[in-house]
Amino acid sequence: MTLLGMDLGGTKLAVALFDEQGKPLHREHIPLGNRGGREVGGLITGSLKTLLGSQKYGAIESIGIAVPGIYHAANGRVWAPNISGWDDYPLLDEVEKVTGRTPVVIDSDRACYILGESWQGNAKGCRDAIYMAVGTGIGAGILTAGNVLRGASDIAGAIGWMALKKPFSDAYVSCGCFEHYASGDGIARTTLVVLREMSSYTGRLRDIPPAELSARQVFTAYSNNDPVAKEVIRLCVEFWGMAAANLVSLFNPGKIIFGGGLFGPATPLIPNIRQEAAKWAQPVSMRQVSFEPSALGNDAGVFGAAFLALKNAGFNQSL
Amino acid sequence: MTLLGMDLGGTKLAVALFDEQGKPLHREHIPLGNRGGREVGGLITGSLKTLLGSQKYGAIESIGIAVPGIYHAANGRVWAPNISGWDDYPLLDEVEKVTGRTPVVIDSDRACYILGESWQGNAKGCRDAIYMAVGTGIGAGILTAGNVLRGASDIAGAIGWMALKKPFSDAYVSCGCFEHYASGDGIARTTLVVLREMSSYTGRLRDIPPAELSARQVFTAYSNNDPVAKEVIRLCVEFWGMAAANLVSLFNPGKIIFGGGLFGPATPLIPNIRQEAAKWAQPVSMRQVSFEPSALGNDAGVFGAAFLALKNAGFNQSL
């Protein structure tokens, strides 16, 4: 059985074929370039047509697609903020024009990340698992009893909005409290605050124009023992630990997988995050959960999309 | 079809018979008295034998039981901290000795509260709904896509452990941050702190010996416009709002039902809690959710247990 997984990102479309054991048979990356709206839809349907027409890797029996935003399962439409014209894009309708009788299933990238990790990554076989994606923004893909948590309108897992520090500040309005402090952009914001407070500091971060300060530069400074970077990372570990603790207490998961652009450089901090979480979380759940980095990295999306396809084809329904 | 619902509490066993439309046919309350361990099991099996032997309300076709603690679905055992000797009680085995071929299903009281409200109460027909129980302690019963959220080891929904106020304090070790501040006991604790801070205060709460201070007295003072009580309730509304916001952002529920001993007197504050939550939560999810008091009050448990029984009998599997 050949499965097709697609992971649409803001800059490229990743495509991969797998057998039903999760062995990759073929991979490709197609840059989006300046495409938007229906051109991006055309890129997807064009690639599907080509692959469905080829028998090189066996007949494709099921298709899964990950999208960078929200997938509305009831009407097959997609909201993807980083693709122009995809406020309410009818992706399922477009795709089904070229897929004929081959079944297609779509879900959010976050959902696919945790499905991928639970199929072939660091949450293998785990039916209650959470993928905490920390990059420019923060979100989570959540599996409960083997199923993706959708909520009443497909927007469950918006963990960037977690309330962790009272009282409320207007700074939280646009992205939520947790994301304000502990996303990639949040690290830059927090660094500016710590720089103001640490007036005696003369290190390299002081010389970077505020608008150019990035999480990457803070991590580089951290690895050089920079005192501002150390304080910023200490604060981030506190927020990541509190947020992870809340996921542990609420969901009682077997695994939390840390991924996204920041894990990456924050991966060696996972034991520190666990130590912070252990202070806050329900103690029995905390002893049972394990915290892991993503095993699949940038490939988690295509793996998860292929696993969606596998489940949709009626195989391996239970994880 | 006659359904039997039982709700075991720390002081009494509530028993009720329903038809499959949720109409109560019979109710009784049996005080536990000084019973513990197997005597409580005997009370349950005795009541079951009597009711199964009677045909007064038609033949009982399915049985559901709510327990005040954690139900381990894998082995049928119960941990119930308020019943002596129920650290790991084999309730399912005991019950099945007397139920013969009549199917039995057991779950936690929190799970039954939200099932009851979704069957016959203020979350009627809602497949994604949360019951936030605030009393001596704080916990939640969570429905996602019509199913009770269990987690990897049946202890999901431990929302009393939510991290809401950093940095960590040793005061949170025994019960969690949210419960420390905003449970019934938390209200008494917070009142002592506010009394210390408000040194000019000469009202009635000052005269109550600290060990005797209760949430009920604080609510009475609040209704008399007492300034200490007003500040305590303001702080509680902030915590309840932040916690509800986190449930909204993470689960995207259709309804949150407020119940437990404090709702009750805190019910008129639900609009204030909503206002606080709306500052913090994912805005689209927030607009879609409604916050409601429990419709079933102390009966939510027997209704939920009967609905468990109905689902287990294969009827109305989907909410």
Side-chain angles (χ1 to χ4, degrees), chain B residues 122 130 132 237 240-249 253-258 263 267 269-278 281 285-294:
Chain B
N122 273 341
I130 300 176
M132 184 161 146
V237 166
W240 292 330
M242 290 173 75
N246 289 351
L247 296 177
V248 170
S249 300
K255 304 253 186 185
I256 297 183
I257 306 291
F258 293 83
F263 291 87
T267 302
L269 298 168
I270 292 175
N272 310 51
I273 296 169
R274 188 182 172 91
Q275 201 172 18
E276 180 68 27
S285 285
M286 189 66 215
R287 281 195 295 276
Q288 295 173 349
V289 70
S290 77
F291 286 11
E292 308 273 353
S294 165

Side-chain angles (χ1 to χ4, degrees), chain A residues 1-2 17 25 51-52 54-61:
Chain A
M1 177 179 219
T2 302
L17 299 174
L25 306 171
L51 288 163
L52 287 166
S54 157
Q55 294 285 322
K56 195 166 166 197
Y57 306 98
I60 292 165
E61 291 181 51

Side-chain angles (χ1 to χ4, degrees), chain A residues 128 144 149-159 161-168 172 177 235 238-239 242 246-247 249-254 279-285 288, chain B residues 128 144 149-159 161-168 172 177 235 238-239 242 246-247 249-254 279-285 288:
Chain A
D128 292 271
T144 68
L149 178 74
R150 314 199 65 81
S153 59
D154 299 297
I155 51 179
I159 64 167
W161 292 87
M162 231 188 281
L164 297 175
K165 188 181 175 190
K166 74 191 212 77
F168 185 77
Y172 308 158
C177 173
L235 290 166
E238 192 178 21
F239 280 110
M242 289 172 76
N246 288 352
L247 297 176
S249 300
L250 271 54
F251 291 96
N252 177 214
K279 296 182 198 166
W280 299 89
Q282 205 284 348
V284 180
S285 285
Q288 295 172 349
Chain B
D128 292 88
T144 67
L149 178 73
R150 314 201 63 83
S153 59
D154 299 296
I155 50 178
I159 64 167
W161 293 87
M162 231 188 280
L164 298 176
K165 187 180 173 190
K166 74 189 211 81
F168 184 76
Y172 308 157
C177 172
L235 289 166
E238 192 177 21
F239 280 111
M242 290 173 75
N246 289 351
L247 296 177
S249 300
L250 270 56
F251 291 96
N252 178 214
K279 297 182 196 165
W280 299 90
Q282 206 283 349
V284 180
S285 285
Q288 295 173 349

Side-chain angles (χ1 to χ4, degrees), chain B residues 25-232:
Chain B
L25 307 173
H26 167 75
R27 298 188 200 213
E28 55 186 301
H29 285 86
I30 308 167
L32 299 195
N34 294 319
R35 290 180 185 84
R38 297 204 165 266
E39 295 167 329
V40 174
L43 202 68
I44 293 171
T45 51
S47 169
L48 285 171
K49 260 194 256 184
T50 306
L51 289 162
L52 287 167
S54 157
Q55 294 285 321
K56 198 167 164 196
Y57 306 99
I60 292 164
E61 290 182 52
S62 192
I63 299 164
I65 305 175
V67 293
I70 294 167
Y71 179 64
H72 296 290
N75 62 15
R77 300 175 89 93
V78 175
W79 173 83
N82 296 325
I83 297 177
S84 67
W86 278 45
D87 297 334
D88 188 35
Y89 190 74
L91 182 61
L92 187 64
D93 283 353
E94 291 296 311
V95 161
E96 286 188 335
K97 285 178 191 165
V98 301
T99 52
R101 277 188 290 187
T102 312
V104 180
V105 61
I106 305 173
D107 213 332
S108 72
D109 48 7
R110 298 188 273 127
C112 289
Y113 297 157
I114 192 59
L115 285 168
E117 293 286 341
S118 70
W119 187 36
Q120 297 295 334
N122 273 341
K124 215 165 180 169
C126 188
R127 294 165 51 81
D128 292 88
I130 300 176
Y131 188 103
M132 184 161 146
V134 185
T136 314
I138 299 181
I142 300 171
L143 274 192
T144 67
N147 295 309
V148 172
L149 178 73
R150 314 201 63 83
S153 59
D154 299 296
I155 50 178
I159 64 167
W161 293 87
M162 231 188 280
L164 298 176
K165 187 180 173 190
K166 74 189 211 81
F168 184 76
S169 155
D170 285 340
Y172 308 157
V173 167
S174 62
C175 65
C177 172
F178 177 36
E179 185 167 309
H180 174 78
Y181 290 108
S183 63
D185 291 354
I187 288 179
R189 270 190 290 267
T190 303
T191 304
L192 295 175
V193 173
V194 173
L195 277 170
R196 272 200 297 278
E197 286 167 358
M198 216 179 271
S199 53
S200 63
Y201 171 81
T202 56
R204 293 195 55 186
L205 293 173
R206 172 85 70 202
D207 303 330
I208 300 170
E212 290 170 24
L213 198 65
S214 71
R216 187 155 297 276
Q217 292 163 323
V218 177
F219 275 103
T220 304
Y222 178 75
S223 65
N224 294 322
N225 232 0
D226 179 282
V228 164
K230 280 169 71 178
E231 173 62 7
V232 171

